[in-house]
Amino acid sequence: MTTTALDLTADVVIVGGGPAGTWAALTAATAGADVLLLDKGYCGTSGPTASGGTGVWYVQPEPAAREKAMASREALGGYLQDRRWMARVLDQTYENMDRLGAEARYPFPVVDGRAFKGGLQGPEYMRRMRSWIRRAGVRILDHSPVTELLVDAAGTVAGVHGHRRQHHTGYRVRAGAVVLATGGCAFLSKALGCDVATGDGALYAAEAGAAMSGMEFSNAYGIAPTFTSVTKTAYYGFATFFQQDGTPLAGAGSQGGRSVIAAELLRAGTVLCQIDQATPEQQAQMRSGQPNFFLTFDRLGINPFTDKFPVTLLLEGTVRGTGGIQLVDDDCATSVPGLYAAGDAATRELICGGFTGGGSHNSAWAMSSGTWAGGGAARFATALGASALRRRLTGAGGVALRPTGGASYGGDPGAEAKDVLRRQVHPYDKNYLRHGDRLRPALDELDEVWARLRAGATAEPAATPRLRQAAAMVAHARWMYTAALARTESRGMARRQDFPGLDPAQRRRLTVGGLDEIWVRPESAARPELAVAS
Amino acid sequence: MIEVVSASRCVTCDVCIAVCPTDVFDAGTDGIPVIARQGDCQTCFMCEAHCPADALFVAPLTHPAPPGSPFRDEEHVTRTGLLGSYRRELGWGRGRKPGARNAVGPELGRARITPAAAESS
């Protein structure tokens, strides 16, 4: 970074303006912190929640209901969840959803005389979150991607650098603490609202010294009509799937049968679908429940209930997977002082284990972890006092900012990285139908492109965010595949064709980290909460 | 992807330039926003939802609509009621009731697994 046109200060910087970021901003501002929220896109529309909408893991505070909610997915998640975290997420989500109705006047539907809080319509939710945090005094910079974290001499995170793409200027923020709420990584697959989720926060966290957890659970693919973006898999629970010639595709399903769809897409290139199991009443409920599900169909002239239409699977990576930045405390602190993580940027293993956090769990996690991270960051910043603004800052970013030298880059490094990701991460037979014999060469190629990026890639200031984004995706993929190779069993959604069974000895989380050299190891501290209630 | 910016409906408020999460639009010299980076469009329909004048149409495709496609034809998307249809469903705009008020989907049971041909008949 050469010149810095805009020089700002804040107690707390929030990176990312989706649900986790806005709840973090709200909590920090309410605690009295001066908060600046930076969104790569626009706070209120960017991220999968705004365009997709979401179910919410909202459970009444009755012991039996809570017990059932926690127990229901433990086996699916490979028993890697943490009951204490699940319980506190349920508590916090319940409180936040009630505040959303009371304080942000979210128009919840009324069912049997009661507000129905099992889901949120994306555009309405995120529009209200934006207004709410502005009323709370949060400053927002839209279209302002962060390019790196700033650290002080002790390695404490103390601010960010970034670029305002619609103002063609760089910026620096000096801050007491930073919350990364940048989302997961869907590798520019064009899945609904996911193209802003490129794993940037994970890269920045790793550069400051943080580790990742749950990265092997990164192989989520959503169902969408072919050549479209609307990945709303839940309603395909009412569907029947067919081969190209119209014969039923035995074993295919939206849950528990998606690998059959992937295999058929690899084999024949076509899978047809018809949502023929919904009653007329259910069909009407679908339309009011999720109008965006029908955008594609209405515009293409398809009646999904009576027509057979082709479907595809779009990579949702760690957006619907559960991997992300490892947390070390209840306030969503990372292992790096001054740095907090929330939402999809953080690991969701604590409440999802190894099974998709898609939909309800991720949304509950986003609002809960955002609330905690915002509070934790505000407390950290307050404790620093005035000394926070006197620290000498250094950029923590490496790849695409500070080349290590050796070979200067020929071609277009960003385009090359994206091409490698298209070939080695998107395909079903690499990331989804996993086998060590295919994962290893894929990882080799990702390592190779990383080494080239690290040595020689640089860009003009305006192009830097994109190049950093490409590097973040490559780093993300390398952590995913390294963890996937280390888990020599099939647990949760991390399945290996060469290790189809569950290995009881591997019932532990994996931590992965590093940039030029990647390491992976079982999570060290034994956690009593990991024990499964009978 | 975004295909249509209706010059006749556009009120030059620049909301689409602000809200597009992937920065697809540039300001046009005549005030009408220009689709400057269509390839970055993620087909999230957010610009359409936020446009106060129903001046934008997002085709339901993750690639540009081919020349001659009705998705590029303002007259077609207007006549068929597609222009502004998402905003209508969301219940956004003067005098409308928020669609979120009705947003109760069906109970999601256990997902169906497609049976083999012989068993399905």
Side-chain angles (χ1 to χ4, degrees):
Chain A
M1 207 51 59
T2 48
T3 56
T4 299
L6 191 60
D7 206 352
L8 304 166
T9 59
D11 295 325
V12 173
V13 159
I14 313 281
V15 189
T22 48
W23 280 102
L26 183 72
T27 311
T30 308
D34 178 27
V35 182
L36 182 64
L37 184 147
L38 305 163
D39 197 310
K40 177 159 84 173
Y42 176 86
C43 172
T45 62
S46 67
T49 297
S51 47
T54 181
V56 179
W57 200 37
Y58 178 83
V59 182
Q60 296 296 323
E62 293 150 9
R66 290 281 169 96
E67 170 63 29
K68 190 175 163 215
M70 291 194 282
S72 67
R73 301 215 314 181
E74 278 182 325
L76 286 169
Y79 299 102
L80 297 178
Q81 295 95 332
D82 182 322
R83 277 282 177 118
R84 194 177 64 82
W85 277 85
M86 292 167 105
R88 59 196 295 261
V89 165
L90 285 170
D91 286 343
Q92 189 67 55
T93 301
Y94 190 79
E95 183 185 323
N96 287 20
M97 289 294 281
D98 288 358
R99 288 187 64 192
L100 195 58
E103 295 172 50
R105 305 280 178 89
Y106 181 88
F108 286 110
V110 177
V111 178
D112 299 332
R114 255 177 111 168
F116 171 79
K117 294 179 181 168
L120 288 163
Q121 190 206 65
E124 191 74 49
Y125 173 31
M126 293 317 299
R127 185 166 78 157
R128 280 171 194 268
M129 289 306 296
R130 182 184 176 96
S131 319
W132 197 5
I133 66 172
R134 291 186 68 181
R135 285 202 302 279
V138 173
R139 290 173 291 153
I140 300 173
L141 293 188
D142 299 305
H143 297 289
S144 301
V146 163
T147 50
E148 65 175 332
L149 297 175
L150 303 176
V151 295
D152 70 7
T156 301
V157 170
V160 298
H161 268 154
H163 181 80
R164 304 200 72 196
R165 64 185 179 190
Q166 293 187 341
H167 293 79
H168 315 290
T169 177
Y171 68 85
R172 180 181 81 162
V173 191
R174 206 176 249 290
V178 173
V179 177
L180 292 172
T182 47
C185 183
F187 300 96
L188 296 177
S189 68
K190 301 228 184 255
L192 189 61
C194 286
D195 274 8
V196 291
T198 49
D200 308 1
L203 174 66
Y204 305 162
E207 287 173 336
M212 309 296 139
S213 175
M215 292 302 287
E216 66 275 36
F217 308 114
S218 57
N219 48 343
Y221 286 78
I223 301 174
T226 304
F227 304 122
T228 75
S229 65
V230 181
T231 42
K232 302 194 75 72
T233 303
Y235 285 173
Y236 291 93
F238 296 94
T240 305
F241 296 88
F242 305 89
Q243 295 178 23
Q244 187 162 17
D245 64 4
T247 55
L249 180 60
S254 63
Q255 283 170 37
R258 230 178 290 179
S259 58
V260 174
I261 299 172
E264 179 68 6
L265 285 169
L266 279 170
R267 191 191 69 81
T270 304
V271 169
L272 301 175
C273 173
Q274 187 178 339
I275 303 176
D276 53 6
Q277 302 296 312
T279 64
E281 192 195 350
Q282 288 168 326
Q283 292 176 16
Q285 288 170 328
M286 283 179 179
R287 194 170 272 280
S288 57
Q290 307 214 332
N292 62 359
F293 181 73
F294 294 91
L295 275 172
T296 317
F297 298 119
D298 291 347
R299 292 176 184 202
L300 288 171
I302 293 169
N303 181 338
F305 304 118
T306 57
D307 299 340
K308 288 190 178 70
F309 56 92
V311 291
T312 190
L313 295 171
L314 294 179
L315 179 58
E316 293 176 314
T318 53
V319 173
R320 267 186 208 201
T322 64
I325 302 163
Q326 189 177 33
L327 303 178
V328 299
D329 207 344
D330 282 4
D331 61 1
C332 296
T334 69
S335 59
V336 181
L339 186 65
Y340 296 76
D344 289 357
T347 182
R348 283 137 285 151
E349 249 182 340
L350 297 163
I351 65 162
C352 300
F355 188 65
T356 174
S360 59
H361 286 65
N362 276 358
S363 65
W365 173 252
M367 62 177 75
S368 302
S369 62
T371 301
W372 300 326
R379 282 189 293 277
F380 188 92
T382 305
L384 288 173
S387 68
L389 300 180
R390 290 196 297 268
R391 294 177 291 178
R392 189 181 162 80
L393 307 183
T394 316
V399 61
L401 292 175
R402 296 176 183 86
T404 53
S408 72
Y409 215 103
D412 176 346
E416 189 185 331
K418 281 196 265 183
D419 179 57
V420 172
L421 294 162
R422 242 188 327 269
R423 287 184 293 105
Q424 303 298 351
V425 181
H426 286 237
Y428 312 134
D429 57 344
K430 304 237 167 93
N431 192 20
Y432 194 21
L433 309 172
R434 288 172 173 173
H435 191 292
D437 291 348
R438 297 191 294 272
L439 283 173
R440 272 181 291 269
L443 181 56
D444 287 345
E445 195 173 338
L446 289 160
D447 285 345
E448 203 177 298
V449 79
W450 173 268
R452 280 162 52 70
L453 285 167
R454 187 69 194 93
T458 53
E460 294 297 303
T464 295
R466 270 176 194 268
L467 189 53
R468 288 283 282 167
Q469 189 170 286
M473 290 188 285
V474 173
H476 220 83
R478 293 166 68 225
W479 293 318
M480 279 161 41
Y481 282 1
T482 301
L485 280 163
R487 192 170 282 288
T488 50
E489 62 162 349
S490 290
R491 181 180 297 270
M493 58 198 287
R495 303 206 192 108
R496 287 278 298 269
Q497 292 181 332
D498 42 348
F499 295 98
L502 187 79
D503 173 9
Q506 296 191 46
R507 199 182 114 193
R508 61 220 181 341
R509 303 193 191 115
L510 294 177
T511 307
V512 61
L515 290 161
D516 296 331
E517 297 296 328
I518 297 203
W519 51 265
V520 58
R521 59 172 180 247
E523 189 176 73
S524 50
R527 288 169 172 265
E529 300 89 354
L530 203 62
V532 181
S534 56
Chain B
M1 286 180 161
I2 176 74
E3 293 289 352
V4 175
V5 178
S6 166
S8 58
R9 291 192 180 207
C10 178
V11 294
T12 67
C13 66
D14 290 350
V15 160
C16 55
I17 298 173
V19 302
C20 172
T22 55
D23 195 30
V24 163
F25 301 97
D26 275 346
T29 48
D30 55 356
I32 311 293
V34 175
I35 302 169
R37 288 164 294 277
Q38 192 190 27
D40 289 340
C41 174
Q42 59 173 356
T43 321
C44 66
F45 305 95
M46 284 288 104
C47 57
E48 210 187 288
H50 283 264
C51 174
D54 290 335
L56 305 178
F57 179 74
V58 178
L61 305 169
T62 49
H63 53 81
S69 163
F71 292 142
R72 295 171 61 165
D73 177 3
E74 182 181 339
E75 194 276 324
H76 171 83
V77 297
T78 307
R79 183 168 38 77
T80 52
L82 292 178
L83 199 61
S85 59
Y86 187 34
R87 198 157 149 269
R88 199 162 56 236
E89 295 272 1
L90 291 174
W92 284 9
R94 196 181 295 272
R96 288 175 174 160
K97 182 179 156 190
R101 280 253 178 259
N102 305 320
V104 184
E107 195 78 35
L108 299 174
R110 189 128 193 95
R112 170 192 160 88
I113 298 286
T114 301
E119 298 160 28
S120 70
S121 56

